[in-house]
Amino acid sequence: MKPRLLLALPPVAATVGGNAVPLLGWLRETWSAETTMLLYYLETVAVVLLAGGLVRLAVPAVDGEGQPIGRRRNELVRNYWLFMGGFALVIGVFLAAILLLFMGVPVPWPAVGAAMAVIVALQLFAYGWEAWRLRPLDMADAETLINRDMGRIAVLHLGVLFGVFLAAIRAEWFVWPFIALKTLIDVATVIDPALRRLRPPAAGEVT
């Protein structure tokens, strides 16, 4: 196995572990399917914060040619946080209205808090490792990473919202497919930068 792919294994393991926490709580009947979807929503909110932090840490203030790029980097992260934060807020309001007001789902907040502590710890490890592995990251790669995460997180948020409705009818209809799809997407997101760096440059491309 290529060394770059080997270096991707620790964050992959942390990513799989983070996705397994809500699943295990549901299988052990610690919380309901609706609470499971709520946990996945909260996990993606944390990803928004950490993905921006990854770019902030991995992109240096000065590029390889000695040109200052710190301002551009900070503006990219700020715009990403503002856009995705606003999107997550809207989805969160809908979720709160559906779960708490209309469905009256009893949310075990102490258990949710403990689960989120574990998930965030795993995410911090994964994103910290990625920041070390990918550094220095140039602005083009940073913009690609941000744009990719924006689409991925937006789809996952909408999936969570849709899943809450289906979970209220029959949990198995959506929870299992959602968990499998989300885990595959998250793992692919971690592995993708390593694979891109292993590909030979295209004709005329400067490395």
Side-chain angles (χ1 to χ4, degrees):
M1 185 179 290
K2 300 287 187 179
R4 289 189 186 276
L5 288 180
L6 284 174
L7 287 174
L9 291 181
V12 165
T15 298
V16 172
N19 279 286
V21 171
L23 172 62
L24 291 175
W26 178 46
L27 293 178
R28 297 182 52 147
E29 299 183 351
T30 304
W31 46 69
S32 64
E34 293 85 358
T35 301
T36 301
M37 302 309 294
L38 173 62
L39 274 169
Y40 282 120
Y41 163 76
L42 294 174
E43 185 259 349
T44 56
V45 171
V47 166
V48 170
L49 298 175
L50 291 171
L54 169 63
V55 171
R56 180 65 180 79
L57 291 174
V59 178
V62 179
D63 65 15
E65 299 178 353
Q67 299 297 319
I69 57 173
R71 184 174 180 179
R72 184 181 167 198
R73 173 201 62 196
N74 295 342
E75 183 179 357
L76 175 67
V77 173
R78 182 171 62 251
N79 290 340
Y80 169 72
W81 276 338
L82 286 174
F83 179 81
M84 294 308 300
F87 183 81
L89 178 62
V90 171
I91 297 297
V93 169
F94 275 105
L95 276 178
I98 293 167
L99 292 177
L100 303 179
L101 297 181
F102 294 106
M103 296 174 62
V105 174
V107 179
W109 292 111
V112 168
M116 281 305 302
V118 175
I119 291 171
V120 170
L122 290 169
Q123 287 180 335
L124 282 172
F125 170 79
Y127 276 91
W129 185 282
E130 287 294 280
W132 167 77
R133 183 169 67 91
L134 297 177
R135 185 175 174 85
L137 195 68
D138 61 33
M139 282 301 301
D141 284 341
E143 289 170 354
T144 299
L145 187 148
I146 286 292
N147 290 333
R148 181 195 63 201
D149 270 8
M150 286 177 69
R152 177 178 71 92
I153 294 169
V155 169
L156 291 175
H157 276 166
L158 293 175
V160 168
L161 187 62
F162 183 61
V164 166
F165 286 106
L166 287 183
I169 303 171
R170 187 174 179 84
E172 293 79 4
W173 286 0
F174 190 80
V175 175
W176 278 112
F178 175 84
I179 292 172
L181 181 61
K182 180 181 182 302
T183 302
L184 286 174
I185 292 174
D186 288 348
V187 169
T189 300
V190 174
I191 293 177
D192 180 64
L195 292 177
R196 284 190 292 107
R197 291 190 172 201
L198 286 175
R199 296 188 190 115
E205 182 179 348
V206 179
T207 57

